[in-house]
Amino acid sequence: MVTSTAIAGLGLTDVGKVYDRSATDLAAEAVRLAAADAGLAVTDLDGLLVSPGTQGAPKLSLQKVLGLQNLRLLAEIGALGASPAAMISHAAATIALGGASAVACVFADTPLKPKGSARDAFGKQRSLPCGFASYHAGIGAITPNLFYAMAARRHFETYGTTSEQLGAIAVGQRAWAANNPVAQFKTPLTLDEHQASPLVADPLHLLDCCLVSNGAAAVIVTSAERARDLAQPPVDVLGWGQAHPGRVMHRESEFGLRSGAADAGPAALRMAGVTVSDVDLLELYDSYTYTVLITLEDYGFCPKGEGGKFVADGKLAPGGSLPCNTGGGQLSSYYLTGFTPIVEAVIQGRGHAGARQVDKKDVIMVSGSGGVLEHHATLVLSGAVR
């Protein structure tokens, strides 16, 4: 018998300019917060999945920090920004088949330093590739900004997408962030301000790019039946899917035009037994505004190449017909890779989002994207009472 599963606990540490704490310390706090949120003791956990950040932590040794013994599931999951959704799907599958009963999934990172900047955290190449793989280093193409700019430019040239259309995504998410107590940026944003922000890598402006944050987040996954007896409204895990395209930037690839979302999204929807027309709420990985755009297309919310027109009317913003990134996302709230959309999905699914709470939350689609469109993981969740 396959058991249905749910997210029963959520832990989020302080995020942003949080200094003088290691990623391991923050991860341990997030797991403890998530267990307490669910009404469980940490020792009730029999599974732990960790995803390390830029500092290489947390590691499997987090088990010892938490004082956990005799775990039935312990693993490190590494698919970059797709890792959190991948962890939850792995935990759900294990629980569904009886391999564990309560699994914590956690990510933590501390890239920001007191005297450093966001550029210092992610703008430097830590190690250069060797041989033919190093060809791009000779022209300075060594940071994600440049590669995502290449992807966006190809979309622009192929389909006529514009910077103003990307700006509509940033403006809408900033409007959502205004009602998120933990958001780093809450000041209203106009399209003119988006367009006036400096170009980071043409065609991407500064306000097309995500934040850099320190912090940690964790969830507790358990059976849906057990979750209903715990402290918080459960958020059911209905479906999941992954896709890892490979050959992303090779000749004749669809780099910039199609991502792993085109495979992972439909797979997750099929498992959940729903279609895009059933989706009430989107929480999408938004490392860049362009990432949101291509994910919308690849999930099937609009035809390929029409993402720019689709978002331009503000339908993703408060009051729009398709709420998206209702906490402000990584662009305006905080950046904890794929955990940023997951945290907001759980908060919305529980009905705990306050002034930004959406009306319908029966079907919530969540994305995680890793590398430069190299990895994708999708979750379909539900806040419906079952």
Side-chain angles (χ1 to χ4, degrees), residues 7-15 18 21 24-43 45 48 62 66 103-108 182 215-221 230-232 336 343 346 350:
I7 295 172
L10 173 65
L12 179 66
T13 69
D14 290 340
V15 290
V18 181
R21 299 191 64 190
T24 298
D25 288 342
L26 289 166
E29 180 187 354
V31 172
R32 293 184 184 110
L33 287 171
D37 180 65
L40 296 171
V42 172
T43 53
L45 303 176
L48 176 64
L62 182 64
L66 291 167
V103 179
C105 304
V106 60
F107 168 84
V182 303
V219 294
I220 308 299
V221 184
L230 296 178
Q232 301 292 345
L336 290 180
V343 169
V346 173
R350 290 175 169 182

Side-chain angles (χ1 to χ4, degrees), residues 259-280:
S259 73
D263 295 315
L269 291 168
R270 283 194 301 272
M271 181 183 290
V274 297
T275 68
V276 290
S277 63
D278 298 310
V279 175
D280 301 313

Side-chain angles (χ1 to χ4, degrees), residues 123-143 147:
K124 296 180 180 179
Q125 184 77 13
R126 289 175 172 77
S127 62
L128 293 176
C130 300
F132 184 74
S134 65
Y135 74 94
H136 54 80
I139 59 171
I142 57 175
T143 69
F147 293 119

Side-chain angles (χ1 to χ4, degrees), residues 95-112:
I95 291 166
L97 295 174
S101 63
V103 179
C105 304
V106 60
F107 168 84
D109 201 9
T110 54
L112 287 176

Side-chain angles (χ1 to χ4, degrees), residues 175-213:
W176 282 115
N179 287 314
N180 185 356
V182 303
Q184 291 179 235
F185 289 162
K186 300 180 185 180
T187 303
L189 176 67
T190 67
L191 187 56
D192 286 343
E193 289 170 334
H194 170 273
Q195 291 292 287
S197 67
L199 278 171
V200 172
D202 191 9
L204 299 178
H205 289 261
L206 178 64
L207 293 175
D208 287 309
C209 307
C210 69
L211 295 162
V212 178
S213 310

